[in-house]
Amino acid sequence: MRVTKLEHAALVVEHSGNRLFIDPGKFTTPITEASGALAVVVTHQHDDHWTPEQLGRIRDRNPEVRVFGPAGMADAAAEAGVEVERVAPGDEFEVGPFRMRFFGGRHAIIHSSIPVIDNVGVLVNDALYYAGDSFAVPHDVQVEALAAPAGAPWMKIAEAMDYIMAVAPRRAFPTHEMVLSRAGKDLSNARLKWATEQHGGEYLALEPGDSFDL
């Protein structure tokens, strides 16, 4: 199974010629190479994690692709004419070679003035975990690779460090970092690397387009 990081929060997981996309949003370069896509997981409704245009590009090349998201995202997508299969924490689906288990339930608090929305974390093939905009820990799971948030309006770096140490993955890499400058990315990478190594893990300072195998 190969994992490729795209810009911001978007990931592509490839297995046996099939693809699973996660969170293709507005800060991600338009996805034009999407052949073989069986499914898309969207963790929540914010447009830095999905847009109708990104989903449309994937669906144009894969008319039978299945899109999964929490209730709030599904409602928002329906207004744009996009059909989404609703998922909630505790749900599990298999699509081709991809087994997806969902955790969490709520977006991290941004500010008391901003409503808290639905958000799910997804564990792919019991190996790759991404919690969307939350610090939801998948308990009783040995995470092989964790997509760890590097920068966002809803977090500070100490929280991301504590989160990595709570999950204790074998490997971690940065996501959600398009809000950071180059200097900010370097700072976050140094802090997240330290946190990953506290339990003997390896930190991968991936840039958009970089891949690794699980």
Side-chain angles (χ1 to χ4, degrees), residues 116-139:
V116 178
I117 60 172
D118 297 328
N119 179 98
V120 292
V122 61
L123 178 69
V124 181
N125 290 351
D126 293 324
L128 170 68
Y129 182 65
Y130 176 47
D133 284 7
S134 81
F135 294 118
V137 175
H139 294 290

Short mmCIF file of all heavy atoms in Angstrom, two decimals, residues 116-139:
data_model
loop_
_atom_site.label_atom_id
_atom_site.label_comp_id
_atom_site.label_asym_id
_atom_site.label_seq_id
_atom_site.Cartn_x
_atom_site.Cartn_y
_atom_site.Cartn_z
N VAL A 116 -19.29 24.04 16.48
CA VAL A 116 -18.49 22.82 16.31
C VAL A 116 -19.26 21.88 15.38
O VAL A 116 -20.45 21.63 15.59
CB VAL A 116 -18.22 22.14 17.66
CG1 VAL A 116 -17.43 20.85 17.46
CG2 VAL A 116 -17.46 23.09 18.58
N ILE A 117 -18.59 21.37 14.36
CA ILE A 117 -19.25 20.56 13.34
C ILE A 117 -18.81 19.09 13.43
O ILE A 117 -17.89 18.74 14.18
CB ILE A 117 -18.95 21.10 11.93
CG1 ILE A 117 -17.43 21.07 11.66
CG2 ILE A 117 -19.51 22.50 11.76
CD1 ILE A 117 -17.06 21.39 10.22
N ASP A 118 -19.50 18.25 12.65
CA ASP A 118 -19.12 16.83 12.57
C ASP A 118 -17.73 16.68 11.96
O ASP A 118 -17.36 17.42 11.04
CB ASP A 118 -20.11 16.07 11.69
CG ASP A 118 -21.52 16.06 12.24
OD1 ASP A 118 -21.66 16.07 13.47
OD2 ASP A 118 -22.47 16.05 11.44
N ASN A 119 -17.00 15.69 12.43
CA ASN A 119 -15.68 15.37 11.89
C ASN A 119 -15.39 13.91 12.23
O ASN A 119 -15.63 13.48 13.37
CB ASN A 119 -14.62 16.27 12.52
CG ASN A 119 -13.21 15.98 12.04
OD1 ASN A 119 -12.70 16.65 11.14
ND2 ASN A 119 -12.54 15.00 12.63
N VAL A 120 -14.90 13.17 11.26
CA VAL A 120 -14.51 11.78 11.54
C VAL A 120 -13.05 11.57 11.20
O VAL A 120 -12.52 12.17 10.26
CB VAL A 120 -15.36 10.76 10.75
CG1 VAL A 120 -16.79 10.76 11.26
CG2 VAL A 120 -15.30 11.01 9.25
N GLY A 121 -12.40 10.73 11.99
CA GLY A 121 -11.08 10.24 11.65
C GLY A 121 -11.23 8.91 10.92
O GLY A 121 -12.19 8.17 11.15
N VAL A 122 -10.28 8.61 10.04
CA VAL A 122 -10.36 7.37 9.27
C VAL A 122 -9.07 6.57 9.43
O VAL A 122 -7.97 7.12 9.34
CB VAL A 122 -10.66 7.64 7.78
CG1 VAL A 122 -9.57 8.47 7.12
CG2 VAL A 122 -10.88 6.33 7.03
N LEU A 123 -9.23 5.27 9.68
CA LEU A 123 -8.13 4.31 9.74
C LEU A 123 -8.24 3.42 8.53
O LEU A 123 -9.26 2.74 8.34
CB LEU A 123 -8.22 3.50 11.03
CG LEU A 123 -7.15 2.42 11.23
CD1 LEU A 123 -5.78 3.04 11.46
CD2 LEU A 123 -7.54 1.52 12.41
N VAL A 124 -7.21 3.41 7.69
CA VAL A 124 -7.24 2.65 6.45
C VAL A 124 -6.39 1.39 6.60
O VAL A 124 -5.20 1.47 6.94
CB VAL A 124 -6.71 3.49 5.27
CG1 VAL A 124 -6.76 2.69 3.96
CG2 VAL A 124 -7.50 4.79 5.13
N ASN A 125 -7.05 0.25 6.39
CA ASN A 125 -6.37 -1.05 6.44
C ASN A 125 -5.59 -1.25 7.74
O ASN A 125 -4.52 -1.86 7.75
CB ASN A 125 -5.45 -1.23 5.22
CG ASN A 125 -6.24 -1.41 3.95
OD1 ASN A 125 -7.47 -1.56 3.95
ND2 ASN A 125 -5.56 -1.37 2.82
N ASP A 126 -6.15 -0.73 8.83
CA ASP A 126 -5.55 -0.87 10.16
C ASP A 126 -4.11 -0.39 10.19
O ASP A 126 -3.30 -0.87 11.00
CB ASP A 126 -5.63 -2.33 10.64
CG ASP A 126 -7.06 -2.77 10.91
OD1 ASP A 126 -7.85 -1.94 11.40
OD2 ASP A 126 -7.39 -3.93 10.62
N ALA A 127 -3.78 0.56 9.32
CA ALA A 127 -2.38 1.00 9.22
C ALA A 127 -2.23 2.52 9.19
O ALA A 127 -1.46 3.09 9.96
CB ALA A 127 -1.74 0.40 7.97
N LEU A 128 -2.96 3.19 8.30
CA LEU A 128 -2.85 4.64 8.12
C LEU A 128 -4.01 5.32 8.83
O LEU A 128 -5.17 4.99 8.59
CB LEU A 128 -2.89 4.98 6.63
CG LEU A 128 -3.03 6.47 6.28
CD1 LEU A 128 -1.78 7.24 6.65
CD2 LEU A 128 -3.36 6.64 4.79
N TYR A 129 -3.69 6.30 9.69
CA TYR A 129 -4.75 7.01 10.41
C TYR A 129 -4.63 8.50 10.19
O TYR A 129 -3.55 9.09 10.27
CB TYR A 129 -4.67 6.72 11.90
CG TYR A 129 -5.78 7.39 12.68
CD1 TYR A 129 -7.12 7.02 12.48
CD2 TYR A 129 -5.52 8.38 13.62
CE1 TYR A 129 -8.15 7.63 13.18
CE2 TYR A 129 -6.54 8.99 14.33
CZ TYR A 129 -7.86 8.61 14.10
OH TYR A 129 -8.88 9.23 14.80
N TYR A 130 -5.79 9.12 9.91
CA TYR A 130 -5.89 10.56 9.78
C TYR A 130 -7.17 11.01 10.47
O TYR A 130 -8.26 10.53 10.14
CB TYR A 130 -5.91 10.97 8.30
CG TYR A 130 -6.11 12.45 8.10
CD1 TYR A 130 -5.38 13.38 8.82
CD2 TYR A 130 -7.03 12.93 7.18
CE1 TYR A 130 -5.56 14.74 8.66
CE2 TYR A 130 -7.22 14.29 6.99
CZ TYR A 130 -6.48 15.19 7.73
OH TYR A 130 -6.67 16.53 7.57
N ALA A 131 -7.04 11.92 11.42
CA ALA A 131 -8.18 12.32 12.25
C ALA A 131 -8.90 13.55 11.75
O ALA A 131 -9.78 14.06 12.45
CB ALA A 131 -7.71 12.54 13.69
N GLY A 132 -8.57 14.03 10.54
CA GLY A 132 -9.21 15.26 10.09
C GLY A 132 -8.82 16.40 11.02
O GLY A 132 -7.70 16.46 11.53
N ASP A 133 -9.75 17.33 11.25
CA ASP A 133 -9.46 18.46 12.12
C ASP A 133 -9.83 18.12 13.57
O ASP A 133 -10.74 18.73 14.17
CB ASP A 133 -10.22 19.69 11.65
CG ASP A 133 -9.59 20.33 10.42
OD1 ASP A 133 -8.65 19.73 9.86
OD2 ASP A 133 -10.05 21.41 10.01
N SER A 134 -9.13 17.16 14.11
CA SER A 134 -9.36 16.76 15.50
C SER A 134 -8.12 16.05 16.01
O SER A 134 -7.20 15.73 15.25
CB SER A 134 -10.57 15.84 15.62
OG SER A 134 -10.23 14.50 15.28
N PHE A 135 -8.13 15.79 17.30
CA PHE A 135 -7.07 14.99 17.92
C PHE A 135 -7.65 13.68 18.45
O PHE A 135 -7.23 13.17 19.48
CB PHE A 135 -6.41 15.77 19.06
CG PHE A 135 -5.66 16.99 18.60
CD1 PHE A 135 -6.04 18.25 19.02
CD2 PHE A 135 -4.58 16.88 17.74
CE1 PHE A 135 -5.34 19.39 18.60
CE2 PHE A 135 -3.88 18.00 17.31
CZ PHE A 135 -4.26 19.26 17.74
N ALA A 136 -8.61 13.12 17.71
CA ALA A 136 -9.24 11.87 18.12
C ALA A 136 -8.23 10.72 18.03
O ALA A 136 -7.63 10.49 16.98
CB ALA A 136 -10.44 11.57 17.24
N VAL A 137 -8.06 10.01 19.13
CA VAL A 137 -7.11 8.90 19.20
C VAL A 137 -7.85 7.59 18.94
O VAL A 137 -8.87 7.32 19.59
CB VAL A 137 -6.43 8.85 20.58
CG1 VAL A 137 -5.54 7.62 20.71
CG2 VAL A 137 -5.62 10.13 20.81
N PRO A 138 -7.38 6.76 18.02
CA PRO A 138 -8.01 5.45 17.79
C PRO A 138 -7.48 4.44 18.82
O PRO A 138 -6.45 3.81 18.62
CB PRO A 138 -7.54 5.09 16.37
CG PRO A 138 -6.20 5.74 16.26
CD PRO A 138 -6.26 6.99 17.10
N HIS A 139 -8.19 4.32 19.91
CA HIS A 139 -7.72 3.50 21.02
C HIS A 139 -7.65 2.02 20.62
O HIS A 139 -8.40 1.55 19.77
CB HIS A 139 -8.62 3.69 22.24
CG HIS A 139 -8.54 5.08 22.81
ND1 HIS A 139 -7.43 5.55 23.47
CD2 HIS A 139 -9.44 6.09 22.79
CE1 HIS A 139 -7.65 6.80 23.86
NE2 HIS A 139 -8.85 7.15 23.46
#
